Amino acid sequence: MTVKLGLIGCGRISHAHGIAVSRIGADKVRIVACSDVREEAAKSFADAYGCDRYYGDAAAMLAAEKLDAVVLATWPAQHLEQIEMCLAAGHKMILCEKALATTGEDAVKIWDLVEKHGATVVEGFMYLHHPLIAKLDEVIAKGDIGEIDWVRSCSSYYFPEVASADDASRSWRFKKETGGGVPWDLACYTVNAVATYAAQLPQKVSATGSFSANYGTINRIFGTIAFEGGRTGVIESSAGATFNQALEIHSTKRTLHVETVFTPPGDTIVRELATVKPSHIHVKEHEVESPLTLQDDLPTFYCYQAQMESFLKVLAGAAKPKPALSQSVVNVITIETLINAMIEEKVLPVDVPQRVRDAWLRDQQA
Ligand SMILES: NC(=O)c1ccc[n+]([C@@H]2O[C@H](COP(=O)([O-])OP(=O)(O)OC[C@H]3O[C@@H](n4cnc5c(N)ncnc54)[C@H](O)[C@@H]3O)[C@@H](O)[C@H]2O)c1
């Protein structure tokens, strides 16, 4: 049976999902309907990916269509409202683009709604599905690295602020109300990455950064996360510095280094650095093949295909969501606390509700 998807938000990232679904094949999955407030964008998406119908109103699509799942490819600040809409219309399986939400309160509301409806929401951290992550997991599991001590993750991209603040059509990245700015666009990856490898709940954070004078969005954030088990995460994210997605996992016997972790450019390498004696470092390289070749301006699209394949397994009951929703909720709470720590210039505790903590611990053991 072909899985039938509905997609909301036919902007830039929708094409990654459209290509992913096309590559998996119409015998397995199709986007049968799509919607966008810009109806012309919905029409052109429908034309490009062979959707049966398109809509200018997501609620109309959700009411009219029999769907197995919904893909939310809209702005972070809209996700709570749109998840509520999906659930109210009886659509309980949702793949939601990052960031899940832009406040801890919204993220916990999503958590409670999902629990109440027996629904599934998977946040679209596509990089988790790249073979690079499987290779890192394999190297860590082998045990040669010893005990993980601290993890550093960077996600920077130079976004020149050329659009006028009066220009309503400027990118969502430069608008506060959509969830624009570095925290929910870029830093959400870094927090997810350090938490994935620290594998502990966050306890307290500190941060520094800056606001865009043009748009009021946060355009740089640098922070430290102290985890409950004693590990430390360092996150660095700037829209004022050139592309950088370095990940370093520092442990008692090794440092693992990946140059581009979130959008790997095809085949890539995990470097395993061992200090033989001070200033003498032995480097071992683990090559990682990406199964598909580059395509146009979406060199990372393989991640989206692997993400969709994983989501299809979740729909079939054959796999658990990756990331678990508990991790996504903790991620949002951690980012919000980093923002508050930056604004208040204080070290702040990360306050995760007990029910989410309990689920996080269960998911960690699963
Ligand atoms: N995983 C990734 O690699 C990746 C990359 C880029 C963006 N994203 C995420 O994808 C989301 C969208 O980003 P984008 O760059 O594609 O933005 P975009 O502005 O290009 O696209 C968003 C689309 O949503 C539409 N929209 C707005 N309100 C709507 C509504 N109420 N109903 C239906 N459609 C509506 C807009 O008209 C637009 O076409 C964001 O959450 C972003 O963080 C993820």
Side-chain angles (χ1 to χ4, degrees), residues 119-194:
T120 298
V121 173
V122 185
E123 189 180 17
F125 276 126
M126 76 301 178
Y127 83 99
L128 293 173
H129 303 275
H130 195 277
L132 173 59
I133 299 302
K135 177 58 78 180
L136 270 172
D137 292 347
E138 181 192 314
V139 173
I140 292 167
K142 214 171 137 221
D144 294 347
I145 74 162
E147 270 296 303
I148 292 176
D149 181 52
W150 67 285
V151 186
R152 173 183 163 245
S153 173
C154 180
S155 180
S156 287
Y157 209 111
Y158 178 48
F159 291 133
E161 297 185 358
V162 285
S164 157
D166 299 330
D167 177 4
S169 69
R170 70 187 186 278
S171 162
W172 71 273
R173 294 200 155 86
F174 299 129
K175 293 179 186 165
K176 259 164 77 171
E177 63 277 18
T178 55
V182 153
W184 310 109
D185 184 18
L186 302 178
C188 57
Y189 286 109
T190 65
V191 175
N192 178 271
V194 298

Side-chain angles (χ1 to χ4, degrees), residues 11-13 36 38 74-76 78 97-98 172 189 304:
R12 183 174 171 272
I13 202 60
D36 198 297
R38 296 179 301 123
T74 47
W75 305 313
Q78 300 176 303
E97 265 304 337
K98 49 56 71 174
W172 71 273
Y189 286 109
Y304 303 96

Side-chain angles (χ1 to χ4, degrees), residues 261-277:
V261 72
F262 302 123
T263 57
D267 295 350
T268 185
I269 289 170
V270 173
R271 287 198 171 79
E272 183 177 342
L273 282 62
T275 307
V276 180
K277 54 184 180 183

